[in-house]
Amino acid sequence: MTKLLELKNISVYHKENIRVKNINLTVSQGEKIALIGKSGSGKSTLISIANGSLLPSEGNVIWKGNNINKISKRESSNIGTIWQDLCLIEELNVAQNINCGALSKHNFLWALKNLLGIIDKELCQECLTAVHLSKKDIYSYISKLSGGQKKRVAIARLLRQEPEIVLGDEPFSNLDPILSKNILNLLINQRKYYSIKIPETILISLHQINLINNFDRIIGLKDGKILIDRPFLDIKSSELDLIF
Ligand SMILES: Nc1ncnc2c1ncn2[C@@H]1O[C@H](COP(=O)(O)OP(=O)(O)O)[C@@H](O)[C@H]1O
Ligand SMILES: [Mg+2]
């Protein structure tokens, strides 16, 4: 399998406060990985390291053979993140936010048109229906949406981005269970949704233990260290008790 992302001997610490320690992890193309662990175990830190937004105190992050700090902006758009705090632009409408996912694929003029009105309307609507929002929501302003709707717009923006890998920091935390299952099913089992290419590789953190059976590999963190890294089918429930 082609290696996409490699975390090599990663540690993050601030003075004596250790956030993650000696993390070694390789993600290959096509893998569906759930990252589990209690609050404070290091999930968000690991996701931020993996997408290159947080520099580790020690170790290297490699994206397709190159140091993640050295890759071009265009290449880095192949790494898609669903941030815990979503990073939506409250003053823009839903379509404009969704199109922000595709900024790196277009030029300045396209970005300017996106700021001035609604462009690529059908594509934005496909991304919205994929996350079970209504087509007419493209006109809504982010500031008027509920927490769960905002989360789904952030996922729609990620779909518009069409990255090679999805890194998600608790992407289903405030979605109801049926919606979470449906969106997870789209990410894990579908290759295409109308004209949108669904990312093949996913690494997402979860605290909903009932969703982990959808993944083929489980990584369990405890106190900043990897305690489990195994196929889902090999995990014993006693090991989950150690994590939680
Ligand atoms: N910006 C920060 N500065 C210092 N310590 C942090 C920071 N963010 C998180 N931590 C600490 O790092 C550890 C891991 O946190 P985090 O990665 O947010 O865990 P999780 O996402 O699993 O809840 C915790 O002990 C937390 O208090
Ligand atoms: Mg977190």
Side-chain angles (χ1 to χ4, degrees):
M1 274 197 294
T2 314
K3 286 181 189 172
L4 283 186
L5 192 64
E6 294 166 85
L7 273 61
K8 296 186 169 179
N9 290 315
I10 298 288
S11 296
V12 179
Y13 43 77
H14 308 274
K15 299 193 178 128
E16 63 273 22
N17 170 19
I18 294 173
R19 289 171 65 177
V20 293
K21 194 168 163 56
N22 291 336
I23 301 286
N24 282 291
L25 168 63
T26 299
V27 180
S28 298
Q29 194 177 357
E31 284 196 290
K32 323 286 183 198
I33 308 174
L35 182 63
I36 58 171
K38 281 201 293 206
S39 178
S41 61
K43 301 181 297 296
S44 297
T45 302
L46 203 142
I47 296 285
S48 305
I49 291 283
N51 68 19
S53 63
L54 178 67
L55 274 179
S57 315
E58 282 170 23
N60 292 302
V61 181
I62 310 293
W63 170 253
K64 295 205 271 182
N66 298 304
N67 194 305
I68 201 161
N69 305 316
K70 305 257 162 68
I71 62 176
S72 66
K73 204 150 187 262
R74 180 114 200 201
E75 186 53 39
S76 69
S77 74
N78 281 321
I79 305 169
T81 306
I82 305 167
W83 302 90
Q84 202 158 32
D85 59 3
L86 307 182
C87 300
L88 294 168
I89 303 170
E90 297 273 327
E91 295 77 17
L92 296 182
N93 65 34
V94 166
Q96 289 167 321
N97 270 278
I98 292 177
N99 275 330
C100 283
L103 276 177
S104 69
K105 295 194 181 97
H106 296 279
N107 60 19
F108 176 72
L109 189 61
W110 183 91
L112 193 61
K113 281 188 191 155
N114 184 47
L115 282 180
L116 296 175
I118 291 192
I119 57 172
D120 295 352
K121 183 174 160 189
E122 285 76 23
L123 268 175
C124 291
Q125 288 178 325
E126 282 180 8
C127 296
L128 272 184
T129 54
V131 294
H132 303 259
L133 284 170
S134 148
K135 285 184 177 176
K136 65 178 183 347
D137 288 329
I138 53 169
Y139 304 104
S140 305
Y141 278 82
I142 300 295
S143 52
K144 299 275 187 294
L145 302 180
S146 71
Q149 287 171 322
K150 286 182 187 176
K151 191 130 230 176
R152 284 183 278 161
V153 173
I155 300 172
R157 180 185 55 191
L158 173 115
L159 294 173
R160 180 82 177 88
Q161 185 177 341
E162 296 188 320
E164 287 181 44
I165 188 170
V166 178
L167 303 172
D169 196 356
E170 305 206 14
F172 306 121
S173 59
N174 48 2
L175 294 186
D176 74 55
I178 293 173
L179 262 178
S180 303
K181 263 200 149 62
N182 286 338
I183 297 174
L184 187 59
N185 180 49
L186 170 83
L187 290 174
I188 291 202
N189 297 319
Q190 277 179 246
R191 296 276 54 84
K192 206 99 175 118
Y193 180 84
Y194 295 96
S195 55
I196 309 161
K197 198 165 129 243
I198 306 295
E200 240 190 299
T201 312
I202 77 175
L203 168 65
I204 63 179
S205 69
L206 288 174
H207 64 247
Q208 299 97 323
I209 202 77
N210 60 315
L211 293 177
I212 69 169
N213 60 348
N214 294 281
F215 293 81
D216 43 46
R217 178 174 163 200
I218 309 295
I219 295 179
L221 283 177
K222 187 165 191 175
D223 301 331
K225 294 190 201 113
I226 294 182
L227 214 65
I228 303 175
D229 184 355
R230 259 209 292 284
F232 169 73
L233 294 172
D234 296 351
I235 304 263
K236 299 184 189 75
S237 63
S238 57
E239 290 178 304
L240 295 179
D241 295 341
L242 283 178
I243 294 287
F244 290 103

